[in-house]
Amino acid sequence: RLRSEGLPYALVVERRFPTDQLDTFVSLQGAAILYFEPLTPKDAPGYEALIAYLTERDRVGLGVEGRYRIMYIPPCEFARTNLSYSGPNLMGIVQS
C-alpha cells in the first residue's frame, strides 16, 4: 500500500535492470500496481522516449522514494503474463 500522501509529482529512474530479472526480483504480493500515462500532451514526447529507451534495451527502470521501490515496466512479457496488460503504456510496481 502507498502512504496516504501518494507518490511525489516527479519520479526519478535511478537504475535500470533487464526485464528477464523481474520474475526473481519482484513480488506482486502486497505491491501496488500502477498505470502511467502523460499528464498533458506536452509530457507525451518524454514519456514515449522513456518507453522506447526501456523497450529497445529490454530494461526496467528502478526508482526509490523513501521506503518504496518503484519499478517502471515497459510493454514486455512480464506485463502481459503477470499484470494482464498488453497495451503500449508504462506500468509500475511499488514495493516497500
Side-chain angles (χ1 to χ4, degrees):
R1 293 185 176 259
L2 297 176
R3 62 184 185 261
S4 61
E5 303 88 45
L7 294 172
Y9 182 73
L11 300 171
V12 177
V13 175
E14 298 177 10
R15 294 189 175 102
R16 291 156 306 286
F17 63 92
T19 57
D20 64 2
Q21 292 181 4
L22 278 166
D23 286 326
T24 57
F25 187 62
V26 173
S27 170
L28 294 178
Q29 185 173 352
I33 299 172
L34 307 174
Y35 169 87
F36 292 104
E37 60 184 21
L39 185 60
T40 68
K42 185 177 178 181
D43 297 326
Y47 173 82
E48 292 166 0
L50 174 61
I51 292 173
Y53 175 89
L54 293 172
T55 302
E56 290 167 6
R57 289 163 179 81
D58 198 27
R59 295 285 187 260
V60 172
L62 174 65
V64 177
E65 177 61 35
R67 66 183 182 124
Y68 297 104
R69 291 187 313 184
I70 306 165
M71 271 74 53
Y72 305 97
I73 303 171
C76 63
E77 186 60 34
F78 181 88
R80 287 185 289 278
T81 303
N82 297 286
L83 305 177
S84 299
Y85 180 73
S86 59
N89 291 317
L90 199 62
M91 298 296 291
I93 296 176
V94 181
Q95 297 176 308
S96 59

